Amino acid sequence: MRKIFIIGIGAGNPDYMTVQAIGALNKVDVFFIPDKGAEKAALRQLRTEICARFIKDRAYRFVEVQVPRRGEDFSDYKANVLEWHAAIEANYTRLLREDVGENECAGFLVWGDPALYDSTLRIVERIHAQAEMAFDYEVIPGISAIQALAARHRVPLNRIGESVHITTGRKLTEGASNDGGSVVVLLDGEQAFTKLAGDLQIYWGAYLGTDEEVLVAGRLSEVASDIAAIRAERRARNGWIMDSYLIRKPET
Ligand SMILES: C[S@@+](CC[C@H](N)C(=O)[O-])C[C@H]1O[C@@H](n2cnc3c(N)ncnc32)[C@H](O)[C@@H]1O
């Protein structure tokens, strides 16, 4: 039977690979590599580097997955995403049938952890449920951007007895609620942190774990414009940026 490994490769540093992830890597015959523009070119490089470094004495191959363009109509965000996932699912199903032999293993190298803001697992679950093709699948956890951010700033995510809320820039702008604890923000293309009021502490990091890594921490009112400027400059220079932050009321 075919098997799919959904492997968390960590959020940027090949040293984030776990022993379990390396073990799974060494069972894979075919890696599906998504191809999506400049950002993905850099991410693709990390994936191929990881394979070259950690796979020992084993033949493997890469199959490029063309990622379909997303629809432009965001009036119903969830419907837009589901339609996009259906198109990706069709591609994966075809590749599984055509490029993976009956007893071979396929692998998805998922940035960070597969359970966090990544659709691979959701899409593989859907293909599995259709039962058109029998296969087994296994998920290997990875070091997420959130763990990398906390480690690089040397801070715990939560304060004693408080909660941690994980959200996106879009939800933060819409006023995502939390109960006064810490908030971790990913996928913030709109720089939602510049729109927040009140006395807040921010721990920001971009390109975490890579040679380009940049960290800024401080009172939001004092560092927000610096972060916005660094963000714009790095984004222009590299053609892409990945940044995350932890935000909360300062310690009293
Ligand atoms: C689609 S989500 C994927 C998250 C990933 N599965 C994880 O576990 O980290 C992409 C977002 O994760 C965050 N991210 C991922 N890698 C990062 C890195 N190396 N540095 C900073 N943020 C990162 C950014 O907020 C980015 O927009």
Side-chain angles (χ1 to χ4, degrees), residues 26 51-60:
N26 278 278
C51 289
R53 176 168 158 192
F54 294 112
I55 299 178
K56 300 286 176 225
D57 305 324
R58 186 180 166 80
Y60 59 91

Side-chain angles (χ1 to χ4, degrees), residues 95-110:
L95 292 173
L96 264 177
R97 201 175 17 228
E98 293 175 1
D99 290 294
V100 185
E102 279 285 333
N103 293 309
E104 283 194 315
C105 288
F108 288 98
L109 302 178
V110 176

Side-chain angles (χ1 to χ4, degrees), residues 164-177:
V164 182
H165 182 78
I166 300 172
T167 191
T168 63
R170 189 173 64 89
K171 297 296 277 184
L172 193 69
T173 307
E174 285 171 8
S177 63

Side-chain angles (χ1 to χ4, degrees), residues 11-12 111-113 116-118 144-145 186-187 205-208 242-244:
W111 192 261
D113 183 80
L116 189 72
Y117 291 116
D118 187 276
S144 74
L186 275 71
L187 291 161
Y207 310 101
L208 291 158
M242 270 197 181
D243 63 331
S244 308

